[in-house]
Amino acid sequence: MCGITGWVSATRAVVRPEFEAMTDRLAHRGPDGRGTAYYRDGRVALGHRRLAIQDLSPAGAQPMVLKDEAAGMHIVLTFNGEIYNHPELRRELEAGGARYRTRCDAETILHAYSRWGPDAVQRLRGIFAFAIWDEAKGELFGARDHLGVKPFYCAQLGDDLAFASQICAFDALSGFTREIAPAAFADALRHGVTTGERAIYRGTSRLLPGHCFLWRAGERRTWRYWSPPRHPDIADPVEARGAVETCLAESVTGQMLGDVPVHTLLSGGIDSSLTTAIAAEEPERIGSAFTLGFDNRAFDESSHACAAATAIRCEHAIERLRADEAQRVLDQAVAAFDEPYGIDSALPMVAIADRMAQSGVKVVLSGDGADELFAGYRHYDALAEHYANHGRATANARSASALGILRGVLTGGFSPFPTYTAHNGWFGETAFRAVSGPRLAEYRADAYERERTVFDTRRGPVDAARRADLASYLPDEILVKVDRATMAFGIEARVPLLDHRLVELAFRISPALHHDRGERKAVLKGAAARWLPQSILTARKKGFSLPIADFFLSGPEDERRILAEIAAGPLVREGWLQGERLEAAVARAEYRAGAVLQLLLLDRWYRHWARGAGAA
C-alpha cells in the first residue's frame, strides 16, 4: 500500500514546491520511501509515498518508468495497492516478450498497459488505485479497483486536474480552498460519511469503484469497467456451496503475497475466523491474529476470538481498549479521517491499528465484505419478512377493489424501500431535518437520496439490499474506515472476501440460497464448514462497535456537555447545524448515543480539518 499524487495541466507548469509538499502530506501511507517525477515541460507531475511490501529493494521505487525508445513508448506509473494475480500475469507477459527488472506487481501494471492499453484494468485482480502517464500520447489513465477498497480523489483546479489517495493532500496547493460542499455535508450529517462521487470540499470528487478515466489536453472521460452480475444463474445449493468453497480458498491464499509476514484481524465471527483459518493453512507466511477487547462484556468479543484461535491453532494477540483511553483514540481518529467519519466503529479500528503497528505489523487480512455478498446483515431479516408479508398482502388484495389496491401502492404499503432506509444512519428523516442548519435548507427535502439512487425496487428485497449495500454502505463506510485507520499507521489491509471473482460468484447465486428460510449467510456457512467448527458457525455476533456509554456518555451530564460544546462551535455559528435543536434531534435519532458521538466526531473533524490546520 502507498500514497499516490498527481497534477496535470494542459496550459502551465505545475508549482513544484507545492507538489512536493502535496506528496509528503501522504507520508503516513508510505513511510518507506518517496518519489516525484515531472514531464511535458513540467506540466505533468506524478508522486508516490512507498510502503514496501513486495520487492523491498530500491528497484521497487515509484513513480516507475517503462520505456522503449525504438517503439516510441514511454509510460510512467504511480500505484497504490496489490495485484494478486501478478505472478500469472507476469508469466503471460514475459511469454509475449516483456522484460522485467523488478519483482514488483507495479511493473506488471506497466507491462500490461503497454500491451493492452486501458483494457489492462480488466485483467487485474486486486485492490488498487493507480495512474499512468503516457508521454508519447500525452494521456493520463487512472483506475480504481472493482469494489473501491483503495481511495482515489480528484480536485479540479481551473483547467488543471490533481489527484491523490486522500483529500488532505490537496491542502498543499495554493489554488485549493477548503470550501465545504453543502450536498456532501448533508450526506455526512445523514449517514456519518460523504457518499458516492461526492467529496467534502467543492471541486473535489471520488473516482467511483469499478471506474477508470482518460485525461488528455484538459478533457477527462470516465467510464465503468466492471459491475457485479445482474442475473443469478446458480440455483443448486450443492453447486453453490462447492463453488464458494473453492473460490474462498483461492481468494485468501492468493492474498498471502509479499515479502513481509501477513497477519489477520480476528473477532471470532464467521468472516474473520474463516479468513484466518484459510490463511493459517500457509503457516510459513502467516503471523498473529489480532483481537481488540473491551472491559464491557456486552461489547467484548475476545472470548469468541480465543475460541476461534484455539480451533484454528494460530498465534493470537488480544489488545484491550480501556475507557480512560477515550480522548487519545478520539484524537487519533479525527487525525486519521480527513473527511467526516461519524461512525463509532472508527475508534476501535484506529485503536487496533495503532496496537498492530506497535507490534511491527505491515500487512493484515480483514474479513470485511461477506455480509453484503452473502446476506449477513440483520436488516435482511426485516426485508425478507416484508417480502413474505407483501406476498400475503398481494393474495388478499386480489379480492379487494381496484381502489384499495391503488391506495396500497400509492402509500408505499407494498414497497420494501422504507424498511431498507430504516436501517441506514442514526438520523432518520425527521431528525435529519430538525438538526440541519440554514445552509442545508435545499437538502432537507430527501434525506434518503443515496438509498433511492442504489436501491432497485424491481428486485426482491434482500437482493436489492445486498446490491445497494455493495454500492454504498461498503465503499462509503466500511472500506473507508479500514483504509484510513490502517494506513494512518502504515499498515496495508487486505480484504480477501472482496476478491472480485468471489463477488461475481456470490451474485451469480440465487438470493434465496443466501437467505434461506430466515438463515443468513446459508451458502457461506455451508462452505465455511470445511474450516470452522459448528460452534463458530452458529455463534451470535456482537458486531465491531464501541461501548459509547463507557467511553463518552456515562450519564446525562456528558450528553449535555457535548451538545453544548457543539452548539457553541463553528458548525452552528456558520449555519450547518441548528444549535437549539440538537437535543431534540438526538432524541429522535434511531440510536441516541450513536447520534451524539456522530455529532461530536463531525464537530471535531470540522474544527481540525475544515477550519484548523489538520493537513499541515
Side-chain angles (χ1 to χ4, degrees):
M1 292 303 171
C2 305
I4 64 172
T5 56
W7 185 355
V8 290
S9 175
T11 59
R12 66 184 181 116
V14 304
V15 183
R16 293 197 180 196
E18 292 183 9
F19 184 70
E20 297 289 332
M22 176 182 169
T23 301
D24 286 338
R25 289 284 195 272
L26 301 181
H28 57 282
R29 297 185 70 92
D32 297 332
R34 74 179 303 278
T36 54
Y38 299 88
Y39 299 92
R40 288 281 162 129
D41 298 322
R43 297 194 303 273
V44 174
L46 296 181
H48 190 260
R49 292 292 317 203
R50 186 184 185 193
L51 179 63
I53 302 296
Q54 293 194 48
D55 192 344
L56 309 184
S57 74
Q62 297 181 44
M64 187 177 286
V65 178
L66 184 63
K67 195 173 181 179
D68 185 337
E69 293 182 1
M73 185 265 291
H74 183 175
I75 56 178
V76 190
L77 169 76
T78 183
F79 160 56
N80 168 30
E82 297 289 346
I83 305 302
Y84 301 123
N85 63 335
H86 145 67
E88 299 93 325
L89 282 175
R90 176 169 181 153
R91 287 192 290 271
E92 179 181 355
L93 290 162
E94 286 181 323
R99 295 184 177 181
Y100 277 72
R101 54 187 181 79
T102 76
R103 294 186 292 106
C104 290
D105 52 351
E107 190 175 0
T108 290
I109 297 176
L110 280 169
H111 284 294
Y113 191 80
S114 71
R115 179 167 176 179
W116 297 303
D119 288 341
V121 72
Q122 305 274 5
R123 307 291 297 271
L124 304 179
R125 194 180 85 240
I127 52 179
F128 53 81
F130 68 83
I132 294 177
W133 172 250
D134 189 320
E135 178 74 352
K137 294 180 180 178
E139 293 178 344
L140 180 79
F141 175 74
R144 189 178 181 199
D145 64 66
H146 307 72
L147 281 305
V149 178
K150 293 288 92 187
F152 198 124
Y153 286 87
C154 296
Q156 197 67 44
L157 306 170
D159 294 331
D160 298 353
L161 174 70
F163 65 84
S165 295
Q166 288 185 223
I167 205 167
C168 63
F170 302 137
D171 272 304
L173 307 181
S174 59
F176 179 75
T177 58
R178 286 181 255 175
E179 183 181 353
I180 300 294
F185 189 90
D187 286 342
L189 181 57
R190 172 67 182 90
H191 302 288
V193 296
T194 57
T195 67
E197 287 183 284
R198 290 175 183 157
I200 193 61
Y201 301 123
R202 289 188 187 274
T204 61
S205 61
R206 280 188 288 258
L207 183 64
L208 289 174
H211 283 66
C212 53
F213 71 86
L214 197 65
W215 180 97
R216 181 182 176 87
E219 298 294 325
R220 179 168 42 139
R221 178 173 64 90
T222 302
W223 68 97
R224 184 170 194 163
Y225 69 84
W226 180 87
S227 57
R230 294 188 57 81
H231 304 292
D233 60 6
I234 300 176
D236 179 70
V238 176
E239 177 187 358
R241 184 168 60 249
V244 168
E245 183 179 318
T246 300
C247 199
L248 280 170
E250 292 175 350
S251 298
V252 177
T253 56
Q255 296 195 22
M256 301 289 284
L257 286 173
D259 296 327
V260 298
V262 177
H263 304 265
T264 69
L265 289 169
L266 179 63
S267 69
I270 295 173
D271 309 335
S272 64
S273 299
L274 177 59
T275 301
T276 302
I278 299 174
E281 294 185 333
E282 304 281 337
E284 72 284 358
R285 290 193 281 179
I286 191 173
S288 295
F290 284 83
T291 299
L292 187 71
F294 303 104
D295 292 336
N296 187 326
R297 299 179 71 178
F299 288 80
D300 182 49
E301 296 185 307
S302 59
S303 61
H304 294 287
C306 282
T310 299
I312 296 166
R313 297 177 183 173
C314 66
E315 292 186 19
H316 186 214
I318 299 177
E319 304 287 347
R320 306 202 77 82
L321 183 60
R322 303 184 310 274
D324 60 10
E325 299 177 88
Q327 188 58 55
R328 178 181 61 81
V329 176
L330 179 68
D331 292 342
Q332 287 179 314
V334 171
F337 290 84
D338 51 350
E339 276 204 289
Y341 199 93
I343 301 167
D344 66 292
S345 59
L347 278 71
M349 192 71 209
V350 164
I352 191 64
D354 183 11
R355 305 291 177 83
M356 289 190 296
Q358 292 177 34
S359 297
V361 173
K362 291 188 78 170
V363 178
V364 65
L365 302 184
S366 162
D368 290 299
D371 288 317
E372 290 81 4
L373 270 59
F374 298 103
Y377 289 126
R378 291 190 181 95
H379 62 263
Y380 296 154
D381 294 343
L383 285 159
E385 179 62 23
H386 174 100
Y387 186 77
N389 291 339
H390 167 61
R392 289 190 290 271
T394 301
N396 294 336
R398 292 195 179 101
S399 61
S401 67
L403 180 62
I405 297 173
L406 179 62
R407 184 180 296 116
V409 172
L410 292 177
T411 58
F414 299 153
S415 170
F417 186 72
T419 305
Y420 179 68
T421 58
H423 298 272
N424 284 270
W426 301 136
F427 288 102
E429 194 165 11
T430 302
F432 171 74
R433 290 174 179 170
V435 77
S436 300
R439 296 182 72 170
L440 299 177
E442 65 181 287
Y443 301 100
R444 295 177 194 153
D446 187 1
Y448 302 116
E449 179 190 5
R450 177 177 77 164
E451 288 83 353
R452 294 186 198 283
T453 301
V454 297
F455 192 91
D456 186 352
T457 56
R458 296 167 297 181
R459 293 183 175 274
V462 173
D463 187 34
R466 288 167 61 228
R467 292 173 184 274
D469 288 339
L470 192 79
S472 58
Y473 177 66
L474 181 71
D476 294 345
E477 302 182 28
I478 300 298
L479 296 179
V480 167
K481 173 185 68 179
V482 174
D483 176 83
R484 301 304 187 279
T486 54
M487 291 305 294
F489 299 94
I491 296 174
E492 172 181 297
R494 300 175 180 177
V495 280
L497 302 187
L498 287 176
D499 184 305
H500 80 272
R501 299 171 311 163
L502 183 58
V503 176
E504 290 173 346
L505 174 60
F507 282 91
R508 287 181 55 212
I509 295 170
S510 169
L513 297 182
H514 290 308
H515 196 278
D516 185 17
R517 289 166 292 199
E519 183 182 4
R520 289 176 250 134
K521 292 185 180 176
V523 174
L524 182 65
K525 289 175 182 176
R530 168 179 163 183
W531 293 279
L532 300 176
Q534 278 296 117
S535 58
I536 295 177
L537 297 177
T538 58
R540 291 181 61 84
K541 271 280 287 166
K542 300 176 188 293
F544 192 53
S545 58
L546 187 76
I548 299 174
D550 296 350
F551 280 69
F552 297 103
L553 299 170
S554 57
E557 65 282 357
D558 285 336
E559 180 179 305
R560 287 193 293 269
R561 174 182 51 79
I562 290 170
L563 294 181
E565 177 185 333
I566 297 168
L571 286 176
V572 172
R573 286 198 308 269
E574 297 177 27
W576 297 106
L577 300 177
Q578 299 195 63
E580 71 279 4
R581 295 189 179 181
L582 288 176
E583 188 172 346
V586 164
R588 294 172 180 166
E590 303 291 336
Y591 173 41
R592 186 173 186 131
V596 173
L597 183 58
Q598 178 177 324
L599 289 172
L600 174 63
L601 287 167
L602 185 59
D603 176 76
R604 293 292 179 86
W605 171 84
Y606 196 79
R607 294 171 190 260
H608 182 78
W609 288 103
R611 292 295 175 263

